[in-house]
C-alpha cells in the first residue's frame, strides 16, 4: 500500500501539496510555541537586579507564559482542525479514484489502509519540512516578545532535542487522525454510488456533522453563559473558547447554508447565465464550498472575537475609571510626595499610590510535604482615608478604614479570605498581614493589593513609581496649580481625563501586542488554509471547466463563474465567522457588566472592514489564478481524457 501511495502522490501531487503545507505549518507553530514557552518558564533573572526591576521582570514573564499558553493551545487547535478539514476534503475530492479502486477488486480494508498510508507519507513529509520551519518561527516569536516588552531584550529560545519526538507525533498523529474518519466513510460508500454521485456519496450532512456541529454549538452557548458569572481570570478564556467551539460547530453545519446562499445569488443575478451556473455549481458542490469556508470561519471568528474582546475590556475599563475617579489632576513622580503636594496652594486633597513589588506566599501540605506557591501581584502603598475620597468604588468586602498597621486589602483569591492572615513579600522582606478588605473585581489595570506605607521597607518606597490624584479647592485654576507643581520639580502633571486616556492607550498597545503574538502566526496559518482549500477545489475541476467551455462558454466566462462561486463561499465564511465572534462578544459583554458595572459591546469595525476586503481579495486572486491555470489546456482533450 505504501508503494501505491507513493505512486498516487507522484501523479496527484497538486491535490496533496495543500495537505503537506498544512501539516508543515501546524508542526512549525506547535513546536515553536512549546519551545518558547519552556524557555520563558525556565529563564532566570539576572543576578543583582533591584527588587522593583526583578518584580517587573517576573510579572512580564508571568504575562508571557499566560500568553504563550494561549498561543500553544490555539496553534494546536488550528493544526488539528485545519489538517483534519484539509485531509477530509482531499479524500472527498478523490471519490471517483477510490470507486474505481473498489470496482477492480479493492476491499474496504484496503481503501482504509491506502488512505492511512497516504496520510502517513504526507505526515512524514510535512513534519520533515515543519521542523526546520519551526526554528524560523521560533526566532520570529522570540523577537516579537522582546519587541513588545514581555521578555528582556536579547531573549532567545533554546532548542531541546526531545522536541523532535513531539513534532513527529504532532505531524504524523494529526495527519493520521485527520484521515481516519474520512477513510472509514470512503470505505463504506458503494463504488457505483461514488461514480454516479448518488446515495451515500452525495449526502453531505452526515450524522457526525450533525452530532459534532450541534455539540460544539451547545458548548459555545454554555461557555458564553458561564462567562457571565465567571471572574476576570475565567471570563476571557471562556469567551475565547466559545468562539473556537462556535467556529467548529458552524463549520460542521455550513453545508446547510450553502444552498441558501446559492439561491440568493440566483435571485440577485436573475436572468444571468453565469449566475444560474454559479447557483447550480454551489448546489452540486456543497461539500467543496463547505470545506473552503471552514478555515475562513475559524479565521474570522478568532480575529474579530479576540480583538472585540480586548476592545470591549479596554472601553469598559476606561468608562469605569472615569466613573470611579474623583479628582482634577494626576501627578506622576517617584517616591513619597503626598505631604509636599498637599501643601501646594489650590490643592484640597492629595492621594498618592506608590507602586511596590509584592508577592503573596501560600503553603499547602500534601501527604506530609509542604509546597510553597508564590503569586506576584501589582501592589500599592496608600493612605486609606485619602484613597477612599478619590476612588469612589466600594470594597467587595471589609473596609479600607481598617487599613492601618499590619494589614492588607487584596483582590478576591481563594488563598486569602477576609480576616485571614497571609504572608506578603516586599522585595526581600516578608510580612504577616491580616486581610481587612477585599478589593472589587477588575478586568484590567489598577492595583491588586493595597497596604499602608508603614509595612513596606523605606528603601522600596523611596524609589517607587508614584501617581497622586489631586482634588483642587473651589476656584483654584488647574493650569496654575499644574505649572507650580512642575516648576517645583514635584512631577509630571496631567488632567484626570488625559491620564485616563493615556492609560487606555497604553493598555491598547499592550493588547495589540498580545493580539500580534497570539493571532499573528495563527491567523496567517488559517489564511494559508483558506488559499489551500481554493487551490484544491479548483485542481479537480478541470474536466468540469472543460465541459462548460465545450458547451459554449468562453474562457473568460468560466473564470468569472468560478470567481462568483468563490466570492459566494467567502460571504458564507464571513457570515458564519461573524456569528462565532458574536458568541465571544456577548459572553464578555455580560461579564463586563457584572464585574465593572459597564456593559460594552465593542465591535472592531476597522478590523471587520479589513478582514472582509482582505478575504474577498485573497480568495478572489487565488480563484482567478487557479481557474486560469485550470482552463489553459485544450477543453476537448480534457473532456476526452475524462471519459
Amino acid at each position: 500500500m505504501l508503494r501505491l501511495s507513493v505512486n498516487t502522490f507522484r501523479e496527484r501531487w497538486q491535490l496533496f501539496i495543500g495537505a503537506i503545507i498544512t501539516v508543515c505549518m501546524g508542526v512549525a507553530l506547535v513546536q515553536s510555541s512549546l519551545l518558547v514557552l519552556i524557555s520563558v518558564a525556565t529563564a532566570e533573572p539576572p543576578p543583582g537586579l533591584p527588587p522593583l526591576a526583578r518584580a517587573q521582570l517576573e510579572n512580564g514573564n508571568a504575562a508571557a507564559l499566560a500568553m504563550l499558553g494561549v498561543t500553544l493551545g490555539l496553534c494546536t487547535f488550528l493544526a488539528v482542525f485545519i489538517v483534519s478539514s484539509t485531509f477530509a476534503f482531499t479524500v472527498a475530492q478523490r471519490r471517483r479514484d477510490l470507486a474505481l479502486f473498489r470496482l477492480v477488486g479493492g476491499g474496504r480494508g484496503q481503501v482504509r489502509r491506502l488512505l492511512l498510508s497516504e496520510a502517513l507519507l504526507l505526515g512524514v513529509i510535512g513534519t520533515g519540512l515543519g521542523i526546520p520551519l519551526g526554528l524560523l518561527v521560533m526566532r520570529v516569536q522570540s523577537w516579537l516578545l522582546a519587541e513588545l516588552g514581555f521578555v528582556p531584550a536579547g531573549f532567545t529560545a533554546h532548542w531541546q532535542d526531545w522536541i523532535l519526538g513531539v513534532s513527529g507525533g504532532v505531524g504524523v498523529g494529526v495527519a493520521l487522525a485527520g484521515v481516519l474518519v474520512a477513510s472509514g466513510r470512503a470505505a463504506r460508500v458503494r463504488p457505483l454510488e461514488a461514480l454516479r454521485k448518488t446515495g451515500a456519496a452525495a449526502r453531505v450532512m452526515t450524522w457526525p456533522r450533525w452530532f459534532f456541529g450541534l455539540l460544539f454549538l451547545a458548548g459555545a452557548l454554555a461557555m458564553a453563559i458561564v462567562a457571565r458569572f465567571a471572574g476576570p481570570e475565567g471570563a476571557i478564556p471562556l469567551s475565547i473558547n466559545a468562539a473556537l467551539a462556535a467556529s467548529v460547530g458552524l463549520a460542521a453545519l455550513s453545508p446547510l447554508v450553502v444552498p441558501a446562499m446559492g439561491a440568493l445569488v440566483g435571485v440577485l443575478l436573475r436572468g444571468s447565465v453565469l449566475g444560474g451556473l454559479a447557483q447550480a455549481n454551489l448546489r452540486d458542490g456543497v461539500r467543496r464550498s463547505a470545506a473552503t469556508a471552514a478555515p475562513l470561519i475559524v479565521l474570522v471568528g478568532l480575529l474579530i472575537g479576540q480583538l472585540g474582546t480586548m476592545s470591549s475590556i479596554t472601553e469598559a475599563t476606561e468608562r469605569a475609571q472615569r466613573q470611579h475617579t474623583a479628582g482634577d489632576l494626576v501627578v506622576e513622580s517617584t517616591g513619597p510626595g503626598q505631604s509636599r503636594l498637599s501643601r501646594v496652594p489650590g490643592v484640597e486633597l492629595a492621594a498618592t499610590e506608590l507602586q511596590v513589588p509584592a508577592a503573596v506566599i501560600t503553603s499547602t501540605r500534601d501527604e506530609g510535604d509542604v509546597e510553597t506557591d508564590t503569586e506576584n501581584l501589582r501592589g500599592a502603598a496608600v493612605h486609606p482615608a485619602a484613597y477612599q475620597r478619590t476612588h469612589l468604588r466600594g470594597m467587595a468586602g471589609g473596609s479600607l478604614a481598617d487599613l492601618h498597621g499590619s494589614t492588607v486589602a487584596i483582590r478576591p483569591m481563594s488563598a486569602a479570605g477576609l480576616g485571614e492572615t497571609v504572608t506578603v513579600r516586599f522585595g526581600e522582606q516578608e510580612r504577616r498581614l491580616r486581610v481587612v478588605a477585599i478589593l472589587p473585581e477588575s478586568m484590567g489595570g489598577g492595583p491588586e493589593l493595597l497596604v499602608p506605607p508603614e509595612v513596606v521597607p523605606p528603601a522600596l518606597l523611596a524609589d517607587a513609581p508614584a501617581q497622586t490624584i489631586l482634588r483642587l479647592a473651589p476656584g483654584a485654576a488647574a493650569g496654575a496649580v499644574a505649572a507650580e507643581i512642575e516648576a517645583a520639580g514635584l512631577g509630571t502633571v496631567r488632567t484626570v481625563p488625559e491620564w485616563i486616556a493615556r492609560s487606555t492607550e497604553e493598555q491598547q498597545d499592550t493588547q495589540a501586542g498580545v493580539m500580534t503574538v497570539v493571532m499573528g502566526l495563527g491567523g496567517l496559518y488559517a489564511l494559508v488554509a483558506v488559499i489551500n482549500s481554493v487551490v484544491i477545489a479548483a485542481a479537480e475541476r478541470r474536466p468540469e471547466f472543460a465541459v462548460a467551455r465545450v458547451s459554449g462558454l468562453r474562457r473568460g466566462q468560466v473564470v468569472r463563474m468560478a470567481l462568483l462561486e468563490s466570492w459566494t463561499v467567502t460571504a458564507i465564511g464571513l457570515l458564519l465567522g461573524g456569528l462565532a465572534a458574536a458568541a465571544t462578544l456577548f459572553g464578555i459583554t455580560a461579564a463586563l457588566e457584572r464585574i465593572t458595572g459597564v456593559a460594552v459591546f465593542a465591535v472592531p469595525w476597522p478590523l471587520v472592514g479589513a478582514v472582509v476586503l482582505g478575504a474577498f481579495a485573497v480568495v478572489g486572486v487565488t480563484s482567478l489564478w487557479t481557474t486560469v491555470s485550470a482552463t489553459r489546456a485544450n477543453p476537448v482533450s480534457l473532456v476526452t481524457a475524462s471519459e
Side-chain angles (χ1 to χ4, degrees), residues 135-160:
L135 295 176
L136 176 61
V137 175
M138 183 177 68
R139 292 183 180 178
V140 173
Q141 279 188 312
S142 300
W143 174 79
L144 276 176
L145 288 172
E147 283 292 309
L148 297 170
F150 292 104
V151 294
F155 167 81
T156 55
H158 302 291
W159 171 262
Q160 306 283 345

Side-chain angles (χ1 to χ4, degrees), residues 219-484:
L221 179 61
M223 284 185 282
I225 293 174
V226 173
R228 175 185 179 90
F229 306 100
E233 295 83 1
I236 297 176
L238 279 171
S239 299
I240 293 175
N241 287 331
L244 292 175
S247 298
V248 176
L250 291 172
L253 300 178
S254 59
L256 299 174
V257 184
V258 174
M261 290 296 290
L264 179 61
V265 170
V267 172
L268 294 176
L269 299 178
R270 183 179 303 172
S272 169
V273 175
L274 296 184
L277 286 174
Q279 179 183 359
N281 288 335
L282 287 169
R283 184 179 61 248
D284 294 337
V286 171
R287 181 180 287 107
R288 177 178 65 237
S289 301
T292 306
L296 191 58
I297 294 171
V298 175
L299 175 64
V300 173
L302 290 180
L303 275 176
I304 297 178
Q306 285 208 6
L307 190 58
T309 296
M310 294 178 179
S311 300
S312 298
I313 292 173
T314 300
E315 188 172 339
T317 302
E318 180 181 6
R319 291 187 189 179
Q321 202 170 10
R322 292 182 184 277
Q323 291 178 6
H324 301 142
T325 303
D328 301 295
L329 298 175
V330 177
V331 182
E332 294 177 320
S333 57
T334 302
Q338 180 168 323
S339 59
R340 288 179 295 170
L341 288 170
S342 62
R343 292 194 295 267
V344 173
V347 174
E348 181 181 73
L349 174 68
T352 298
E353 296 180 37
L354 293 161
Q355 301 175 25
V356 294
V360 176
I361 303 172
T362 56
S363 299
T364 57
R365 185 177 296 275
D366 184 18
E367 298 181 356
D369 296 330
V370 178
E371 297 182 359
T372 301
D373 181 46
T374 302
E375 182 177 7
N376 294 309
L377 300 179
R378 296 188 299 271
V382 301
H383 294 280
Y387 185 87
Q388 290 182 94
R389 293 180 63 186
T390 55
H391 296 74
L392 303 182
R393 193 176 184 190
M395 297 292 105
S399 173
L400 285 185
D402 299 323
L403 190 67
H404 51 79
S406 297
T407 57
V408 62
I410 200 168
R411 72 174 188 184
M413 56 190 305
S414 58
L418 191 63
E420 296 181 0
T421 301
V422 295
T423 300
V424 182
R425 185 174 64 212
F426 302 100
E428 303 299 329
Q429 177 179 318
E430 294 183 4
R431 296 289 301 267
R432 295 283 293 171
L433 305 177
R434 182 170 58 90
V435 179
V436 297
I438 303 297
L439 298 176
E441 290 183 321
S442 172
M443 292 298 292
E448 300 171 304
L449 177 146
L450 298 179
V451 292
E454 57 264 27
V455 304
V456 182
L460 285 181
L461 293 180
D463 298 326
Q467 60 185 30
T468 304
I469 298 177
L470 303 181
R471 289 175 59 177
L472 304 183
V481 174
E484 185 165 349

Side-chain angles (χ1 to χ4, degrees), residues 45-54 428:
L49 275 182
L52 182 59
R54 186 183 183 91
E428 303 299 329

Side-chain angles (χ1 to χ4, degrees), residues 109-143:
Q110 290 177 308
V111 171
R112 293 194 189 96
R113 289 195 296 273
L114 172 65
L115 294 176
L116 290 174
S117 297
E118 292 174 355
L120 176 63
L121 177 63
L122 299 180
V124 170
I125 296 174
T127 301
L129 297 174
I131 290 174
L133 178 62
L135 295 176
L136 176 61
V137 175
M138 183 177 68
R139 292 183 180 178
V140 173
Q141 279 188 312
S142 300
W143 174 79

Side-chain angles (χ1 to χ4, degrees), residues 561-583:
M561 177 191 68
L563 178 62
L564 180 59
E565 292 178 37
S566 297
W567 275 350
T568 303
V569 174
T570 302
I572 294 172
L574 292 172
L575 174 64
L576 297 182
L579 291 177

